[in-house]
Amino acid sequence: MRKRRMIAGLASIAMATTLVACSSGSSDKSNTLTVGVNQELNGVFSPAYYSSSYDGYAIDLVYEPLLGYNADNELVPQLAQDMPEVSDDGLTYTFKIREGAKFSDGTPVTSKDVKYSFTLLADPSYTGRFAINAENIVGYKEYNQGDAEELSGIETPDDETVIFHAAEPRIDNLVTFGNNMKVMSASQFDYKKGDTSEIESSTSEMLGSGPYKLNSYDKSSGASFVRNENYEAKDGEYSIDKVIIKTTDVQTEVDELKSGSVDLLPQTIEQQKIGTVSKEDDLTYNSYFRAGEGYIAFNAVDGHTTADNAVRQALSYATDRQSFVDSYFKFEDASDEVVENTKLGYVPQVFWNPVSENLGEYVRGEKPLDGLTVYNFDTEKAKAVLDAAGWKVGEDGYRYKDGTKLEVKWMLSKDNSVLETLIPMVQKSWKEIGVDLKQTTVDFNTLIDTVQNPEKSSEWDVFFMAIGYTGLSDGDANSNYGNTPDNYPQIHDAQLDEYLRKGMYTNDAETSKENYLKAMERASEVDAYLPIYGNQYFDLYNKRVKNLKTSSVHSWAQAMDQASIEN
């Protein structure tokens, strides 16, 4: 991600309040959609700097990429007038901007805004996660590391035309240029090369060309959005005047849905909540395959003990993922339709995008990959791995190596329903193999800040989170490894990096797939991430909400074009 988003588990967290509307747009409560999320918004509403999936909802309402995914998971024009012209060698992409497109301040969207949005990612002072989206543009190194005054690989021959020149063939060039970056206004900030400080310090100030604009934001309660009067919607589209993203309490959010104080609980995974809603006459749901996984990450460089690959592998073998899935995703009380037709959770075979266009079936375990190391639960194998690596059991039952105790520091996010089920299981099985598990519980934002900060890497050995991908690219794993901000374990493996490079830098789909399969095998060996579960997502909502067409890579915020409210 380049095209990925993080959520609290990306799973669940808490707070409750109600937002009060507003200065513009309709104040008619009957045409307001209130969306409950059980995690505070960070307020990082910049397409160049956000991390959290919840902030991503806000960005999807306000900003547009050139191309977007529709409800059928197809890449279609969004800010672009049409699909781009692509040269035969796959190195040149020519886009035309949609006629009449304007930012919410009334200024026209031009090719210079597109160039600015990617130039920011190439700036030497840029500190966000998305530089990888500019790295294959001609002139990136000259701008990022040299004296170049502009990013030469993006041409703007006129206000409506923007031309990307790729430095190398890449299997994801179209998605990277078209979908991975939403377009920002070049005139919003006084940007000069080498100084992104004003932009970075103003990430709550939104100015996009999308159908909505930010109306109000409060960290504790959420945010509200009203229609962008400068957005030219097609007849019948974007009929909902106001959208509220409301911070809800994980314990009471279903009660709020039933009472009508919220209309929608998106991307829900908890079987109790899904089951309850499935039996309510006034409520309904969408379900679709989740483009993401819940996972634990190991600190592979600065971890007190997890820097040892043998420890990572042993912890993985000693984690009973299947029992977790069977317990957490088992429907105890739900409608017959849900129970009979839904397999809510599964155990992924490898940490990768499970809806990847050519690789997802291997991730989901629908197709075997012979060279893959799959960490099926086996405490005896975990003990054998530790024995072979020199971790011996002491008189106190814990293991030691060269005087170092096998202590593992797990940084937990509070109010996380996944961890409430997983941790008691892990405590038992990890202790059985001689691990002294230490736990620290923090709020989700603190967890993100800690694992993203190399200066704090000694504070954790393991954390749990979930990842949500926003596309179908086979190359999403390139951002999880190597020299990228999303490589939280800081795993560096030359063989893995080479497979990932060869998988990415080609126009040939078969060559790409062959190398990515090898990368999968190597990634499973170095074991920096252990996928815990994959699942179906459920959007739970009131039946007065109509035509909410969501899918794996088309969230509720992107589905506002067709959605309406019936009163």
Side-chain angles (χ1 to χ4, degrees), residues 205-455:
E205 299 177 18
M206 306 185 80
L207 179 57
S209 62
Y212 294 91
K213 62 183 180 181
L214 180 66
N215 179 55
S216 65
Y217 164 66
D218 179 80
K219 184 174 179 61
S220 65
S221 57
S224 68
F225 303 82
V226 294
R227 284 290 309 279
N228 171 12
E229 62 272 19
N230 290 300
Y231 182 87
E232 297 181 3
K234 297 177 182 178
D235 289 344
E237 291 189 348
Y238 298 106
S239 64
I240 295 175
D241 290 333
K242 185 177 180 182
V243 178
I244 294 173
I245 301 177
K246 174 185 175 182
T247 311
T248 56
D249 191 307
V250 67
Q251 303 298 329
T252 61
E253 59 185 0
V254 170
D255 291 333
E256 290 203 57
L257 182 63
K258 291 164 68 174
S259 70
S261 61
V262 300
D263 301 303
L264 167 66
L265 300 176
Q267 299 185 341
T268 303
I269 67 172
E270 295 94 337
Q271 54 87 4
Q272 301 94 331
K273 296 176 182 178
I274 297 166
T276 296
V277 168
S278 73
K279 300 179 75 172
E280 290 287 327
D281 291 339
D282 294 332
L283 304 178
T284 187
Y285 59 85
N286 295 348
S287 65
Y288 46 90
F289 199 81
R290 179 184 185 178
E293 297 172 325
Y295 68 95
I296 60 176
F298 300 110
N299 190 334
V301 174
D302 294 324
H304 178 62
T305 54
T306 53
D308 186 339
N309 192 22
V311 171
R312 301 196 297 271
Q313 291 183 329
L315 295 176
S316 296
Y317 281 121
T319 301
D320 193 348
R321 300 182 293 158
Q322 188 62 60
S323 290
F324 167 80
V325 167
D326 292 344
S327 174
Y328 188 81
F329 292 108
K330 180 181 179 181
F331 285 113
E332 297 176 356
D333 185 20
S335 69
D336 291 341
E337 180 183 2
V338 166
V339 173
E340 293 172 4
N341 298 326
T342 304
K343 182 181 178 182
L344 186 54
Y346 68 95
V347 177
Q349 302 297 288
V350 63
F351 181 68
W352 216 275
N353 184 351
V355 299
S356 169
E357 186 173 9
N358 297 305
L359 308 173
E361 58 190 353
Y362 300 98
V363 181
R364 302 188 298 267
E366 297 166 4
K367 192 171 184 178
L369 183 58
D370 292 339
L372 201 65
T373 304
V374 180
Y375 294 93
N376 295 322
F377 183 58
D378 190 337
T379 54
E380 293 306 311
K381 191 164 188 175
K383 292 175 184 178
V385 169
L386 291 173
D387 286 338
W391 291 94
K392 304 302 181 183
V393 179
E395 294 181 359
D396 58 0
Y398 296 115
R399 289 181 182 262
Y400 294 83
K401 180 179 180 179
D402 300 330
T404 299
K405 187 179 184 181
L406 186 48
E407 179 181 290
V408 175
K409 296 181 289 186
W410 191 322
M411 182 167 285
L412 311 172
S413 55
K414 68 180 181 179
D415 299 320
N416 192 311
S417 63
V418 168
L419 293 175
E420 290 171 5
T421 300
L422 181 63
I423 288 297
M425 300 170 64
V426 168
Q427 285 174 323
K428 180 180 178 181
S429 59
W430 287 13
K431 185 174 182 180
E432 181 182 340
I433 67 170
V435 174
D436 185 9
L437 179 61
K438 303 293 186 182
Q439 302 172 49
T440 302
T441 301
V442 298
D443 63 78
F444 179 60
N445 293 335
T446 299
L447 174 64
I448 291 177
D449 291 341
T450 301
V451 302
Q452 286 183 334
N453 188 346
E455 295 181 0

Side-chain angles (χ1 to χ4, degrees), residues 92-113:
T92 303
Y93 296 75
T94 303
F95 291 87
K96 294 288 187 179
I97 294 172
R98 185 181 71 238
E99 185 177 352
K102 295 180 180 179
F103 291 105
S104 59
D105 64 355
T107 58
V109 181
T110 72
S111 57
K112 292 180 175 59
D113 298 304

Side-chain angles (χ1 to χ4, degrees), residues 43-74:
V44 182
F45 297 149
S46 167
Y49 288 98
Y50 84 104
S51 294
S52 165
S53 175
Y54 305 103
D55 286 354
Y57 292 150
I59 290 168
D60 285 340
L61 290 170
V62 173
Y63 292 93
E64 296 180 289
L66 291 165
L67 307 176
Y69 285 98
N70 63 17
D72 295 320
N73 294 341
E74 300 167 332

